Amino acid sequence: MTGQMGAVTVPARLSGPLADSLRRNRDRFNAAYFLARRASPRIDEASFAGHLCDNLQPVVDAVARHAPERVDAVVQALYDVSLELLCKGGLSESGRSKAMRRFWHELLPAVHSHLAHRPDFTVRALLNAALNLVSTKGARVEEWIEGFPDLALQTESLDEALDAGRVFAWRCGMAQIRRAALTAAGRMRPAAALAALGIAGNVWKRTPRVPDILLALTNDPWLHPEEAAAGAARKNIGVRAVAVAGGFRGFGGPFASPPRAALIDGAIVLYDSECAWHLDADIFGTVFHKVVADISVLKDANILRDESQGITVSPEGAIVWNDAAGRLQEAENASSMACDGVTAAITRFHSHKVLLITRSREGAHSS
Amino acid sequence: MSFDDAISKIRSVFGKVSASPTHPPRKTRPRRSFDVADLYEGPLDTRQPSGAEAGKTGGPRLDDKLRQAYFWVTNHAIISPFYDIEFNDEPPQSFVLGDRKSRLVLPTDQSYSSFVLLPLLTLVLRRRCLLVGGPGRGKTASAILMAVLAGYKLRDIKRAIQHGQPQMTIADLLGNPLPSSLVNAETMDDVKISWRKWLSMRVKIIDEYNRIPTRTQSALLTVLADDYAELYDQIYECPPSAWYLTANDDAGGGTYQVIEALRDRIDVVVKALHFNTRFLHELQVRIEEGIRPEEVVPQNLVFSEAEMDGAYKEILAVQIPPALRRRIEFFMSHFEFCDGAADQVEYKTKDTAKLGGIEWSVITAGETGKDKIRDLGSQTQNGLSVRAMMTVLAYAKALSWFRGFEEVGYDDVRQIIPFVLHDKLVQDADSPFFELQEHAAFRTDRIGWIRKLFDLSCEEYDRLDLDRDDPVAALLNEIDKGLDGVDEAEVRKRLAAIERQIGEISKGRKIYGHLFDDVLALKYMHQRYTNYLKWLSWKDRS
C-alpha cells in the first residue's frame, strides 16, 4: 500500500493489521501528526515513517495473533508514543541503536498480552525503562531486554511484571535503583520475586524466605542475592576491595582530573576540578550521577579519616575500619576517602580511578 | 501614616512593589540533577488516563496537569489568543487607544483566556458554567473538550448532549418508564424507569438551555441543583458533575425565559470571545487537514475520576489569608443595604424591597443624602446570596490552585470575581455612577464593571484603614475565642465597648452597606453577651 499519512509517504511494505488499523483511523492519525508537526516543525518525517514500518509492525502482528480486537487500541498507543518520541528526538541515532531495535522487535511483541490490556501505559513505561537503561553507563540494556519477557511470564499482572522489571534492571547494573528494586521485590509473590532476583529456588534444600533475603540485601549492597538466599551472613574480619570505578574522561570515564571523595548528607560524592558526581555502587555495578554542587564547599574535604564511621586510611594503604583491618596495595597514596558505613570510596593521587572497599566476610583477601 | 508605613502596607497587600535583594548567594549542597526515582519514569509521560488504564506509576501534580491541559487546548484546540485574565509580577506597560482612551495592558506574568480557563476550573470544581455568545463561536466545542478531558469517549459525549428545543419534554430529558412495568405495576414503586444515560455522567452538557420549555426547565433544575432526577416517584441519584450550559443570550432570554432559580444556579458565566481574524490561517489549516482537536486529545491529559476527586480536595485545601478575606467581606457588604426598604433594621435590604413588589425607581428616589457615586451599593439592584459568596470563594481557590499557589492572592480574587458575579449582581443602569463618561462602558461591560467595583471597594477599604483599625473585627475576634471563664465585669466592659461602637456609627454618618453589616454584627454580639450575662446571674443565684 502506498498512501499518504499527513505529509508522509508510506512504503508498500507496510501491510497487515498495522496498515489496516492506520487506514481505519486515518483521520485521527493524520490530525495527531499534524498537531505534532505544528509543535515541532523540524521533526524527521522519514525517521517516523521508517519507525512505523520497521518497529511497530512486529508488535502489532503479535497483538493481532492473540487479541485482534485490541489492535486499534494498541496501534493508537504506539502511534501516539512514537510521535511523542519523535518530537523529543528519541527516534534519532541513539534511538535506532541495536538495543532499541531489540526492544521493538523482541520485548514488546513478547509482552503482547499486557500491551493489549493496557496499551498506552505499558508501552510508555517499558520504553522509559529501556531509555533509562540505555542512558545509564555500564547498564546491560540488551540483557534486560532479553530477560524481561521471561520474568514477565512468571508474574500475574502488569504491575507485578513491572516490579520484576525493576529488580532485573537493578541486577543489570542500575545500582541507583537498588532501593526501589528491593521494595518492588517485597511486593511480589515469593516465586516471582525469587525469579526476578535470579535465585533458582530448586537449588536449595529449603525454599528461601524472601523477606530474609531482602533484609540481608538491604543491609549489605555487596551481598549477592544467591549468597543471601544461602544464608551467607557477613562476618566482618577484614576489609576487601569490591570494585574499581571511574576513570579518565578521555577513556570513557567521568573524571577530567584525579577525583576526590567526600561524604555529603550520607552519600558518597566524587568530584574533580570541574564537576561532582553522586556514586551509587553495589554488587551489580557502579553508577555516577552528575550533581549540581558548589565545589568550593567540597575542596577542603581531603580527609583520610572518618571518626564517626571508625575508619582510617594511611598513605601506605593500611586501613582500619572499626574491628576490621587490612592493607590494600590499591589504597597506597590515598588522597581522600569517604565512607557511608558500608562502602568506603578511596581516591589516589595521580589516579582517575576510585577504589571501593567494604568490610569483608570470611575469605577476605588483602595484600 | 508615614511614607514607610504606606509602602509597607502596599507591599503587604498588593505585593506589587518588589522586595529589594537582601540575601547574598548561599553555598549550596550537592543535589542530583538526575534522579531515576523510578525505572519507568522518563521522557514519556506515564500519567494514567481514565478508566481501564489506571495504574500506579507516574503522576505529576494535578495542577500541573490542568495547566498542561490548558496550554494544549489553547495551542491546538480552541483558537483563543486572548489574555483577558491578566496577572502582573511587575508594573505592566499600558497604551491608550482611541477617542475613548481605552487602555491596552501588556501583562508581565502568565495570563489566561477566560474562555478556556473558566471551563477548566469548572471541570475540577464540578460546578456550573454558562457559555454565552453568538452562534458558531465554540461554546459547544469547548464543552465537548471538557468532557473529553474528563475521560469520556467522543461518541458518548455527543449522544449525551441535551439539545434545548421548544418541544423538549421531561421524558426527553430524564427518561421513560418501561412500558411493561407501567402496565404491570400495582403501585408507583413498581414502575421501572429507563433513565437517560447522560444523568450518570460527571460532565453534563445542555446546549441552548434557554430553548427548553419552562416546565422541562423545572425538571432540569432538580438535577442541576440537587443532583437527582425524579420521575413517577422514582429517584435517580446523579454523581457530582461539572455542568456546561450554552446560550446565545446571557440575559436569560431566548425562546423561553429562563426561570430565575435555574439562572441563579449558574456559578460562572463565560463569554465566547470573538474570532481574531488575524488567525484565519488556523481555520484554513483545520479545513485543509480535516483537524478535529476533540479527537486527538492526548491521553496523558485526560483526568481520571480519582484525579478529579484529588484535584477537588487540593483546591479546597487552598488557604484564604484573613486579610484578603476581610477585603472580600468588605466588597460583598456594599450591595444588600436599602435604607428605605423597611423600618426594622434587619429587613433594610434590597431583597425586602423586591419581595414587597415596589418599583425600584420608587425605592431609589427615597435614598437621600448619600453620595451615589461613592456608594457602591447604589450601582446594583440586589445584594449577593450566600450561594454567590461561596462560589466566589471556591473559584478563587481554584484559580490560585491552577496557578500553583497554596494561598489565594489578591489578584486571583480580582480576576475571578467578575465572572462569578456576572449574572448575580443586577446592575442599576440609572445609577449616577454610569452617567460619568469614563464609566459609561460599564453599562454593557459587566466584567469590567464588577472588576471596577472591586477596585473601588479596595480603595475605600484602604481609605478607612481597616487593615489596622477595624474595631468591629477586634470585637468579633474577641467573642470568637469563646465565653468560658469570662466574668461579669468583663462582659459588662465588652457590652459597653459594643454600645460605644454603635454610638460612633450613629453619630450622623450615612449608613453604607459595610456599616449596615457592622451594625448587625454588633447587635449580634451584644445579644450574645446579654444572654451570657443573664446566665451568669442565674448561675450565681442558684
Side-chain angles (χ1 to χ4, degrees), chain A residues 27-28 31-32 34-35 37-39 81 84-85 88 117-121 124-129 131-132 144 159 161-162 165-166 169 174 176-177 264-265 278 280 289-294 296-297, chain B residues 26-49 52-58 72 75-76 282 285-286 289-293 295-300:
Chain A
D27 288 345
R28 188 222 171 266
F34 167 77
L35 292 176
R37 202 179 61 201
R38 268 191 63 177
V81 165
E84 195 173 324
L85 210 56
K88 290 178 178 172
H117 180 51
R118 286 162 67 178
D120 189 68
F121 175 66
R124 283 172 184 275
L126 292 178
L127 194 46
N128 275 343
L131 292 171
N132 284 330
W144 188 83
D159 288 332
L162 294 180
R166 288 183 180 94
M174 290 191 83
Q176 72 272 38
I177 66 165
I264 307 287
D265 290 337
H278 180 281
D280 284 300
H289 299 292
K290 199 174 275 191
V291 294
V292 176
D294 179 358
S296 62
V297 171
Chain B
R26 288 176 296 173
K27 286 179 178 173
T28 55
R29 293 182 158 219
R31 59 180 171 80
R32 277 199 183 180
S33 59
F34 170 72
D35 182 6
V36 179
D38 189 83
L39 176 69
Y40 302 108
E41 286 176 19
L44 296 170
D45 196 342
T46 51
R47 275 174 304 187
Q48 293 308 289
E53 293 278 309
K56 290 178 191 161
T57 303
W72 187 87
N75 289 335
H76 298 301
E282 300 270 350
V285 165
R286 294 249 173 129
E289 300 283 344
I291 301 297
R292 282 185 286 278
E295 293 176 357
V296 289
V297 175
Q299 281 298 293
N300 59 330

Side-chain angles (χ1 to χ4, degrees), chain A residues 3 70 73 90 129 188 232 242 249 256 259 265 268 286 289 306 309 330 334:
Chain A
R70 294 292 293 163
M188 297 170 70
V242 286
R249 191 176 297 169
D265 290 337
I268 296 174
T286 55
H289 299 292
D306 186 343
Q309 300 291 354
E330 305 95 312

Side-chain angles (χ1 to χ4, degrees), chain A residues 238-357:
Chain A
V239 294
R240 70 183 176 110
V242 286
V244 175
F248 176 53
R249 191 176 297 169
F251 297 140
F255 305 122
S257 57
R260 298 289 181 267
L263 193 74
I264 307 287
D265 290 337
I268 296 174
V269 172
L270 286 310
Y271 62 98
D272 63 9
S273 54
E274 295 175 7
C275 303
W277 291 262
H278 180 281
L279 174 69
D280 284 300
D282 64 19
I283 188 78
F284 290 116
T286 55
V287 179
F288 289 89
H289 299 292
K290 199 174 275 191
V291 294
V292 176
D294 179 358
I295 299 184
S296 62
V297 171
L298 307 171
K299 68 181 175 190
D300 293 332
N302 288 344
I303 53 172
L304 293 175
R305 172 199 293 268
D306 186 343
E307 285 179 5
S308 65
Q309 300 291 354
I311 182 170
T312 307
V313 178
S314 79
E316 294 77 31
I319 300 164
V320 174
W321 192 344
N322 287 331
D323 57 350
R327 188 168 175 277
L328 296 173
Q329 191 174 16
E330 305 95 312
E332 287 174 5
N333 291 318
S335 58
S336 68
M337 180 275 302
C339 175
D340 64 8
V342 178
T343 304
I346 300 173
T347 63
R348 295 168 71 179
F349 292 107
H350 313 303
S351 171
H352 294 81
K353 297 280 191 180
V354 181
L355 174 68
L356 302 179
I357 67 171

